[in-house]
Amino acid sequence: MDFFVEQRREVMRHVEPYMLEKMFDFLKPIDDIWQPSDFLPDSTKDSFFADIKELRQNASGLSYDLLAVLIGDTITEEALPTYESWLMMVDAVSMDEEGGWMKWTRHWTGEENRHGDLLNKYLYLSGRVDMRKMEISTQYLIADGFDIGTGTDPYRNFIYTSFQELATNVSHRRVASLAKRDGDTLLSKMCGVIAADEARHAKAYKHFISKIFEVDANEAMLAFEDMMRKKIVMPAHFLRELGTKIGQTFGHFTDAAQRLGVYTAVDYVDILKELIVDWQIDSITDLNESGEKARDYIMKLPERLLRVAERMKNPGLEYKFSWIAV
């Protein structure tokens, strides 16, 4: 496997100049992009306390499951040091530390960092969250790390991020809609702009992988197959609360998301279908026998997964999260 990983790293070096040329098609200028303070009460204004009171009133209408999903999403976003160190490990091993991929990772991290910052401050001001217990979960998630099955392979790494950015876009977009339904237009705007960021980032990672398919189609196909056989696990799959074991809270979090329709098994299938179309998997040539088998597996997988998803029952068991105070 080491030989093939090194071969894939060489392809990444080949694609790097193209990525540098296109990078800022997918990122926004730091001076112009939104910041958390654009949405939160301004502590320098006389209206600060009145604005907080309004925020708390609107947050009081959020359903229990929606609040639980929002907290879980926030913890996931705040575990950014884990994701950055994982990307840096892949990039530093495979490319020049000051090269383009490392530059991309730093800029991507800067944009992503705003998400957890914004949501954390909103939850703090909402008055509905035991912040210390939430903060403990965040620290646990960073300390526990994750195992998402990519190793140091850059192909599997970017396939994962392509899928995951699409998934977070779906989740934040749905939370935005539900927040609006529950009367919290401010939270809806917050989640809406976060979802837009995730969509841009997904577009970037998908584009980078499409270039890899052009250069090294067979190995890219094998990497895609490998990730889908393992299943794309969410970055918060080790989520836990104070006094619980590693990963013990994650199932309850995903149950709440499933009940609300924030992120479901059908969404997983839809994302896979989108990647198949975007990467034109059905029409890729220059595959050897293993590559052809990998493509056959990928092309048949959505139908198989959809049959499973349709048989799944909506989880009914409710769980009391230690994070939620009110």
Side-chain angles (χ1 to χ4, degrees), residues 156-196:
R156 288 186 292 175
N157 170 54
F158 275 14
I159 288 166
Y160 178 86
T161 47
S162 297
F163 195 105
Q164 186 54 38
E165 294 282 15
L166 289 170
T168 52
N169 167 262
V170 170
S171 179
H172 287 301
R173 186 158 37 86
R174 298 262 175 81
V175 171
S177 296
L178 291 168
K180 186 176 182 180
R181 180 203 66 184
D182 287 353
D184 196 331
T185 55
L186 176 62
L187 177 60
S188 180
K189 289 177 183 177
M190 291 176 179
C191 293
V193 294
I194 292 172

Side-chain angles (χ1 to χ4, degrees), residues 239-258:
L239 186 64
R240 57 163 142 168
E241 295 163 88
L242 178 65
T244 66
K245 296 179 181 179
I246 187 169
Q248 195 169 328
T249 305
F250 181 67
H252 301 302
F253 166 61
T254 56
D255 282 351
Q258 180 87 12

